[in-house]
Amino acid sequence: GVEFDFNCGGNAVDQPLATTLQHEYVHAALAGLDLPAWLGEGLAEYFERPFGGRGPTAGEVQVLRRLAVSSHWIPLERLSGPSFAGFDQNSAAAAYLESLALVSHLAGLRGERALGRMCRDLSRLRLERTLKRQFGLTTDELEQALLAALRSRG
């Protein structure tokens, strides 16, 4: 038979590895859906976090607020390509954080079950139609709602 070594160089699967595995599992579960990078990465970032702490941390919210009031906010349109491959290190970090915030904002509107329904619908419908159907928002309205929420809490 085939033997597998799950130690990965250590004695156990540690938290960073478990987080990475959860992140990649979400990507695998969404494989085949033609998602914009912000949604695929946002869902992976959101669901890699422990229950009860899936949204941005307090420190991440502070970073998002600084981005929201500066010229460093990356417009959703730029996050809607197939990946973040063309971004430099700082822009990629901001892109992942904004993506997490966008998905977290959606979950805050109607709960995690609505995220699940959205993913199910995305297998049949286009993103704009699905967002409108599940959350009553266009992608532009989603971005503006998140920016308004970030700016009002500063």
Side-chain angles (χ1 to χ4, degrees):
V2 177
E3 291 187 26
F4 295 97
D5 180 9
F6 290 105
N7 288 335
C8 301
N11 291 329
V13 175
D14 60 5
Q15 188 57 45
L17 178 57
T19 298
T20 299
L21 291 172
Q22 286 174 250
H23 183 100
E24 295 308 323
Y25 177 79
V26 172
H27 284 305
L30 300 173
L33 297 179
D34 186 23
L35 301 178
W38 73 265
L39 184 55
E41 293 302 341
L43 287 165
E45 290 286 313
Y46 183 84
F47 285 109
E48 82 179 22
R49 293 173 180 231
F51 288 102
R54 289 198 168 133
T57 65
E60 290 170 330
V61 170
Q62 292 302 322
V63 172
L64 285 161
R65 286 182 180 146
R66 286 193 298 274
L67 290 170
V69 298
S70 74
S71 61
H72 298 290
W73 182 265
I74 302 170
L76 188 55
E77 183 177 329
R78 278 199 58 216
L79 301 177
S80 294
S83 74
F84 298 148
F87 289 25
D88 64 34
Q89 186 174 1
N90 288 336
S91 295
Y96 279 92
L97 191 53
E98 287 181 33
S99 298
L100 168 63
L102 288 160
V103 168
S104 183
H105 190 79
L106 289 174
L109 292 173
R110 298 241 174 102
E112 289 182 1
R113 289 183 190 264
L115 292 176
R117 289 190 302 271
M118 178 181 68
C119 290
R120 182 198 65 223
D121 286 354
L122 280 168
S123 65
R124 299 183 310 237
L125 307 169
R126 300 201 40 95
L127 176 62
E128 286 292 333
R129 187 170 165 203
T130 299
L131 277 173
K132 194 68 167 173
R133 180 177 172 179
Q134 292 297 328
F135 298 97
L137 298 170
T138 66
T139 52
D140 289 339
E141 291 167 338
L142 168 61
E143 181 177 30
Q144 292 310 310
L146 175 60
L147 284 168
L150 289 167
R151 290 174 179 150
S152 70
R153 295 182 201 150

